Amino acid sequence: MLRRPGPRTRDGAAGEGRRRRGGRHRRGDDTPAATGTGGLAGLQAQLGLVAQCIEAGVATRVFSVSLGGFDTHADERNLQETLLSYLDRGVTAFYQRINAHPAGRDVVVLIYSEFGRRVRANASDGTDHGTASNVFLLGESVPGGLYGEQPSLTDLDDGDLKFTTDFRDVYATVLDRVLQDDPGRALGGWQDSLSWW
């Protein structure tokens, strides 16, 4: 999750809220605390913690959560369906909650995978790592729609889909439009961006 910079308070912190004392959260259950890399908490718990931070006005501008389990190479259909339903439920609940808060208009959700999948199934009725993948952006400031070209399932690059949008264009656009930062600093001088946003 990414947030535009908020108004500065007298002590220099962005936002209006105050931080709670102590690192404990009020949950009433044994669910482990979320961490920046996912930890042992489920996606909904991680996103719930991010929502609490945003609602409290914590000055953090970038939050990271994760959903593991996608590194499968066999019998993928059922597992992918299950994992994508977790993603759908978690992100939907988060977006509905944060959209009801005034700070929600400044939140952009960027969802990506660290690897794509090859087109041809392997011998285990799964697929192996590939080079092209999807990126999803969600937020009030993001124009809706599907962007990029539909990849060909026959015109491949050594068995991999050919990407039609460079991920650095996505990151550069988010750095510029959401975080109001120079993308070249973080992306080794990269200056291209998405033309539609």
Side-chain angles (χ1 to χ4, degrees):
M1 275 34 67
L2 309 162
R3 285 195 314 169
R4 286 193 171 88
R8 307 305 275 184
T9 60
R10 278 190 289 162
D11 65 357
E16 302 288 327
R18 290 185 290 164
R19 298 178 193 195
R20 273 199 312 222
R21 295 180 189 225
R24 302 185 61 87
H25 50 78
R26 297 179 206 157
R27 294 183 60 91
D29 62 21
D30 294 337
T31 305
T35 66
T37 57
L40 299 174
L43 181 64
Q44 285 186 312
Q46 294 174 65
L47 289 169
L49 182 58
V50 171
Q52 287 177 349
C53 289
I54 293 170
E55 291 163 349
V58 173
T60 302
R61 294 176 58 202
V62 177
F63 296 89
S64 175
V65 300
S66 67
L67 174 62
F70 287 92
D71 196 5
T72 60
H73 296 271
D75 299 321
E76 286 176 330
R77 183 175 183 204
N78 291 331
L79 184 54
Q80 290 282 335
E81 189 174 306
T82 299
L83 290 168
L84 291 172
S85 70
Y86 291 156
L87 178 65
D88 176 45
R89 285 194 305 269
V91 172
T92 298
F94 171 79
Y95 192 70
Q96 288 173 343
R97 175 177 175 175
I98 205 63
N99 201 34
H101 192 275
R105 69 181 176 276
D106 295 327
V107 174
V108 172
V109 179
L110 185 148
I111 302 169
Y112 68 94
S113 174
E114 64 181 287
F115 52 82
R117 288 288 177 191
R118 295 180 68 86
V119 174
R120 185 175 303 278
N122 62 26
S124 301
D125 198 24
T127 57
D128 297 319
H129 291 198
T131 57
S133 189
N134 298 312
V135 174
F136 299 97
L137 291 168
L138 173 69
E140 189 173 307
S141 67
V142 179
L146 297 173
Y147 298 94
E149 298 171 31
Q150 179 72 27
S152 170
L153 297 177
T154 56
D155 181 21
L156 304 175
D157 181 14
D158 194 28
D160 286 315
L161 296 173
K162 293 179 179 178
F163 70 86
T164 62
T165 302
D166 193 301
F167 73 93
R168 292 170 294 187
D169 293 352
V170 178
Y171 293 173
T173 304
V174 169
L175 284 165
D176 178 42
R177 298 232 167 76
V178 179
L179 297 175
Q180 300 166 354
D181 202 352
D182 174 19
R185 289 184 337 152
L187 299 172
W190 191 264
Q191 293 300 319
D192 290 344
S193 63
L194 300 173
S195 61
W196 51 265
W197 184 18

